Amino acid sequence: MKIAVYPGSFDPITYGHLDVVSRATAIFDRVVLGVLVNPQKSAAVLSTEERVAVIREAVAECCPVAVASRIDVEAFDGLTVDFCRASKATFIVRGLRAISDFESELQMAHTNRKLAPEIDTVFFMTALEHSYLSSSLVKEISAFGGDVGQMVPQTVVRHLSARKRGL
Ligand code: PNS
């Protein structure tokens, strides 16, 4: 059985991430979407538990049942390669939106391969219609009251607006 881990901060998950994970199920038997517990690049808007719950709802909302049934969503702490080994995954899935993503993704792929030579990284080119999307911009637009309904699933919209209302 071919298992892949799709690791990320997913704060919040966007239609770009969902496009990548659903296309990955065409290649892998199972895809474990790994939610990093403490993303360092910015303060997380959604807690780890919220991100996991929102992603599970988003997968159920947006993916056909045959696809959703092969996607697991789990939180992880520590190294991605350790999470891959624990999940029995021999592939890491990542999305590439533009050439600007390439440099850091190449570095991560080489580093992960050095740490775990048995685990390879497979890249998906994010669908053109989602290639402008970023979680950071979604957070910023939402914080200023903008409409992110075309960028993220409805469950994410609901969670972001509940967060703004302090719920
Ligand atoms: O969604 P992101 O923030 O671009 O995802 C980055 C992520 C989670 C893939 C990366 O930060 C990561 O793998 N973190 C876990 C710690 C780790 O393994 N670091 C070494 C990576 S080469």
Side-chain angles (χ1 to χ4, degrees):
M1 181 187 268
K2 277 194 170 57
I3 304 176
V5 159
Y6 179 23
S9 310
F10 304 113
D11 184 47
I13 194 160
T14 69
Y15 281 133
H17 297 127
L18 285 165
D19 166 59
V20 168
V21 73
S22 59
R23 281 162 57 208
T25 63
I27 294 181
F28 302 107
D29 300 302
R30 288 207 90 70
V31 181
V32 184
L33 201 152
V35 181
L36 185 67
V37 169
N38 286 314
Q40 286 173 349
K41 60 181 173 187
S42 62
V45 163
L46 302 177
S47 70
T48 306
E49 295 71 25
E50 274 177 303
R51 280 179 283 144
V52 169
V54 165
I55 294 166
R56 286 186 179 141
E57 283 171 29
V59 167
E61 183 182 312
C62 303
C63 300
V65 177
V67 169
S69 63
R70 290 195 286 120
I71 299 171
D72 294 323
V73 185
E74 287 172 30
F76 79 100
D77 209 353
L79 290 177
T80 288
V81 291
D82 288 339
F83 180 61
C84 289
R85 284 174 173 152
S87 307
K88 301 201 179 333
T90 47
F91 295 93
I92 294 170
V93 163
R94 292 285 287 171
L96 283 177
R97 292 166 297 188
I99 195 76
S100 50
D101 284 340
F102 182 75
E103 209 169 324
S104 59
E105 293 296 336
L106 181 72
Q107 188 182 27
M108 275 205 286
H110 283 317
T111 307
N112 283 327
R113 193 96 197 286
K114 202 47 112 179
L115 293 170
E118 78 280 14
I119 299 170
D120 225 328
T121 301
V122 175
F123 291 103
F124 285 80
M125 306 305 150
T126 306
L128 197 55
E129 65 266 36
H130 303 312
S131 59
Y132 70 99
L133 280 173
S134 87
S135 297
S136 310
L137 282 181
V138 165
K139 282 186 277 195
E140 186 173 309
I141 294 163
S142 170
F144 288 116
D147 179 8
V148 292
Q150 292 183 62
M151 304 171 195
V152 293
Q154 278 310 301
T155 178
V156 175
V157 174
R158 285 194 296 274
H159 274 79
L160 288 176
S161 48
R163 176 47 52 97
K164 270 193 302 188
R165 296 196 311 273
L167 300 175

